[in-house]
Every structure is written in C-alpha cells, then in structure tokens.
C-alpha cells in the first residue's frame, strides 16, 4: 500500500535562505514555461508547446543561468515543468467537458510553496546521514537539513517533496510497499451518517460531536482579517513590517483551523477502525452539495431576481466545509486499508427520507431535523440514526426488520 509521511524540517539560517531561493527559482521556471506556451499559441502559427520540448530546453537554461537555475536538481525542475503540463491537461479537460476552464495562471512567490523530487537519490537523499542518530535529508543546493522524525518511515521512499507553510518547512515522503498492520477482528459492523449537528451518527445510535473548529476560531479570524484589510493591496516587497505581520497572522489562524480539523478526523477515523470490521458510509458529492443556488429571474421585473435562499445556503455550505467530511472519509479509507478493514460507500439518495423498518420513502417522514417518523408504519427514531441504518441496510450489513 501507499503512504505519505510529513516531517518538520529544522534548517539553519543559511539553509532556510537556500530553501527560499530554491522556491523562488522554481517559481521563475514555472512562470517562464507558462509564458512560453502563451506566446507560442498567440503566434499566427498557433504553435502548441509541450512538456517534452520544454524539458529538452532545461540543459540550455541551466547553462545560461548557472548561479540560479543551474544550482538546483535537474529532476526537480522537470517535476516543476510536469506540474505546469498537468495544469494545462486539466484546463483542456475542463474545456472539453464544458466546465469553467480556469486557464493556468502565473504564480507569485508566495503562491509557489512546493518543490518535488521524483526519485529518492536523484537530487535528494532521505536519511542522508544514517550513521548519525539525527535524521537528515540532503537536498541539492541546500545541504543536509535536519528532520524532526517523530515516527518511523516504513516501505520504500519513492518521492520527496519540500513544502513551505508560513515560516516552517516540511519534507513529505511518498512511500510504496508499506506493509499493512491488520487489527484483530471485532465482529462489529456499522453504517454512519454524516451531519452538521453531529459530526457523524452510527447505526447503533452513537453520536460523535461536531467540534466546529472554524466557528470557534471565527471571531479571532475576523479580527485578524479586519486588521489586514486596513492595509492597501501591495506586493510583498513593498509591504511594511506591520503589513507582513498582519498577513502572517491570518495565514497562521487558517493553518491552525486546518490542523485541528485534520487531527479530529484522524482521531475519529482511528476510533472507528478499531471498533468496527466493516463501515458503510454515504458516497457524498461534496462539490455538488456546496454549490450556490442558481438565481431566479423575476418574470415581471426585467433585471430583478426573486429570493432563492442563497443566504441560508451559504450558511449551510460554510458548515459543511467546517465539518470536513471529505477529509474524514479520505483518512477513514486510508486507515481502513492499513488495518485490513472494509469501507463500503453506498448511494446517498433518500437515506434520510426512507423508513428503515418498512422501506417507505417520503419527504414527510422527517418531520424535524432531529426526529424521524414514518407516515406509513409509525416508526419513530432519531433522524440521523435512521439515516445511518439505511446506509447499513444498503450495504447489506443489517436486515431491514432489525430496525
């Protein structure tokens, strides 16, 4: 199986400066390659430039600028060009599918924060000082950088990435052939229903509270954003020290919320995997669920629109994003694979409107957000538990009459 490990780097002052220069030069390479593609297509000949052509130019680029582009790993520069090629491939795919195209944009220095090394040992070396108890990673042009390895790395290190988050640096290892760590069988099975009032509810009726990390930090974030808004929009090199601190504070609060949300997802998924052998959940399309409602033109007044519930939908979308369902389900699938558990996604349609006792489906079955009452057989239950039971029934984990 595959697994990624993320460790904090502890570079010296000079190494941190070199890491920043590495990001700057890779960003310059990315923008230069993008400009070349734009200019070639705008020419009368409508020339298309591809990755193979730009990769073949790297040797000349490095020879022309040995102090900058020639300083870094050739393979990492190829990875940067592949990133641009993937961005164009996604752009053409969206155009073909009739979606919003999203043409690849130029990256500012602050918006280019990752450098990839496609192969361990080619421009980088994980655990470069095995004779030393302190773990280090060697990066071409930077040196041996100390790593805070808080857990052992299993499997074969395939790719290495260096990422900047605020003022901190991280190394990310993508590993293959990671051995599974099966847990002893418990014989328990369950279905789960994701929600807002409760983060999730199991078919046994257990509720996991929704921590609402975003809402708890909303006041501090709003205060920091108001302070940032007081400064005019300027490029980084033209910002004052107070302006830079305001930017860093907003980014720091966003990182805090993201880490809290991820930590909660890890803890909840681990508890589920340790308790149940088989877990069924709804196959949610979160991107569609958080889509804004379409405007309703007023047929009687030209240029006017009727109320479409956009304000209420915006609040619901914010709560869905804050819950982090997608993050949790991804982590649950990964932990289940490692523990030799089974995760079954099922069709989510009408799980909250179907009676788990008789199978009758009606919008009137769910009288309130918390109460489910079947209009045909009179079965009553907690609405979230009823949805979780329907998920388990669709996955074949329980029989309808057990509800």
């Amino acid at each position: 199986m595959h697994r990624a490990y993320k460790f904090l780097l502890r570079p010296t002052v000079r190494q941190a400066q070199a890491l920043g220069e590495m990001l700057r030069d890779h960003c310059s390479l990315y923008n230069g390659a993008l400009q070349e593609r734009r200019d070639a297509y705008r020419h009368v000949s409508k020339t298309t430039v591809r990755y193979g052509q730009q990769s073949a130019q790297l040797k000349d680029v490095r020879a022309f600028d040995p102090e900058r582009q020639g300083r870094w790993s050739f393979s990492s520069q190829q990875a940067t060009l592949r990133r641009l090629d993937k961005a164009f491939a996604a752009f053409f795919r969206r155009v073909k599918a009739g979606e919003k195209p999203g043409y690849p944009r130029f990256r500012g220095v602050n918006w280019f924060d990752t450098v990839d090394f496609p192969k361990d040992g080619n421009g980088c070396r994980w655990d470069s000082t095995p004779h030393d108890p302190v773990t280090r990673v060697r990066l071409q042009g930077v040196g041996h950088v100390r790593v805070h390895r808080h857990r052992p790395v299993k499997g074969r290190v395939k790719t290495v990435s260096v990422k900047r988050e605020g003022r901190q640096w991280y190394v990310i290892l993508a590993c293959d052939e990671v051995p599974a760590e099966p847990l002893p069988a418990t014989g328990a099975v369950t279905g789960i229903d994701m929600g807002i009032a409760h983060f999730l509810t199991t078919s046994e009726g257990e509720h996991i509270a929704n921590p609402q990390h975003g809402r708890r930090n909303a006041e501090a974030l709003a205060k920091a954003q108001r302070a940032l808004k007081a400064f005019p929009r300027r490029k980084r090199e033209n910002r004052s020290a107070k302006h830079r601190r305001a930017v860093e504070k907003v980014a720091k609060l966003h990182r805090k919320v993201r880490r809290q949300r991820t930590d909660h997802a890890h803890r909840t998924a681990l508890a589920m995997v340790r308790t149940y052998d088989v877990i069924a959940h709804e196959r949610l399309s979160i991107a569609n669920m958080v889509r804004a409602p379409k405007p309703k033109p007023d047929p009687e007044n030209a240029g006017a629109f009727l109320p479409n519930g956009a304000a209420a939908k915006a609040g619901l979308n914010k709560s869905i994003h804050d819950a982090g369902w997608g993050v949790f389900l991804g982590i649950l699938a990964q932990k289940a694979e490692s523990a030799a558990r089974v995760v079954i996604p099922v069709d989510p349609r009408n799980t909250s409107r179907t009676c788990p006792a008789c199978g009758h489906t009606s919008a009137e079955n769910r009288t309130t957000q918390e109460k489910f009452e079947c209009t045909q057989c009179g079965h009553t239950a907690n609405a979230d538990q009823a949805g979780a039971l329907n998920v388990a029934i669709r996955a074949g984990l329980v029989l309808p009459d057990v509800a």
Side-chain angles (χ1 to χ4, degrees), residues 87-291:
F88 270 97
F91 164 72
F92 289 119
R93 176 185 56 79
R94 289 191 293 267
V95 170
K96 192 173 182 180
E99 302 174 1
K100 186 176 180 180
Y103 189 83
R105 296 182 294 178
F106 292 102
R107 298 293 188 91
V109 177
N110 293 337
W111 295 96
F112 194 95
D113 54 13
T114 305
V115 172
D116 299 322
F117 297 85
K119 184 179 180 182
D120 182 28
N122 191 355
C124 65
R125 172 64 69 185
W126 169 249
D127 198 7
S128 58
T129 56
H131 57 279
D132 195 327
V134 178
T135 303
R136 291 181 174 86
V137 58
R138 183 189 178 278
L139 305 171
Q140 181 176 329
V142 179
H144 299 271
V145 185
R146 185 179 176 183
V147 180
H148 179 69
R149 186 173 66 172
H150 58 275
R151 59 173 174 163
V153 176
K154 300 180 181 180
R156 179 176 62 89
V157 177
K158 185 177 181 182
T159 64
V160 179
S161 301
V162 176
K163 184 176 183 181
R164 177 181 61 192
E165 292 186 5
R167 295 188 178 184
Q168 293 181 326
W169 295 88
Y170 294 88
V171 60
I172 303 171
L173 310 175
C175 299
D176 281 345
E177 304 172 6
V178 179
E181 300 174 356
L183 294 175
T186 63
V189 297
T190 190
I192 60 175
D193 178 78
M194 310 301 298
I196 299 298
H198 301 102
F199 180 70
L200 66 83
T201 302
T202 67
S203 53
E204 294 79 24
E206 179 185 1
H207 299 290
I208 304 297
N210 184 3
Q212 298 182 340
H213 296 297
R215 179 170 295 183
R216 288 195 300 170
N217 291 275
E219 185 176 349
L221 183 59
K223 183 178 179 181
Q225 288 175 328
R226 285 195 297 268
L228 175 60
K229 196 173 182 180
F231 296 96
R233 293 178 62 89
R234 291 179 179 175
K235 294 183 177 180
R236 182 178 182 180
E237 57 270 15
N238 298 327
R239 294 172 183 169
S240 64
K242 288 186 177 180
H243 191 176
R244 290 195 296 270
R245 286 196 293 268
V247 172
E248 291 174 1
K249 188 171 184 179
V250 172
K252 186 177 180 180
L253 285 171
H254 278 295
R255 287 195 299 271
K256 176 184 177 181
V257 173
R258 184 180 72 248
R259 288 172 178 170
Q260 288 177 332
R261 190 177 292 129
T262 304
D263 178 71
H264 177 262
H266 274 285
R267 293 176 184 272
T268 306
L270 182 59
M272 297 291 294
V273 166
R274 286 176 174 173
T275 305
Y276 301 101
D277 288 346
V278 184
I279 304 169
H281 67 82
E282 296 172 305
R283 188 188 293 109
L284 300 176
S285 178
I286 300 175
N288 293 335
M289 295 176 66
V290 297
R291 190 169 294 169

Side-chain angles (χ1 to χ4, degrees), residues 45-62:
S45 60
K46 298 286 186 180
T47 304
T48 300
V49 178
R50 302 188 183 278
Y51 163 76
Q53 299 167 278
Q54 294 186 317
S55 179
Q57 299 172 13
L58 269 180
K59 184 177 180 180
D60 296 332
V61 171
R62 292 166 61 87

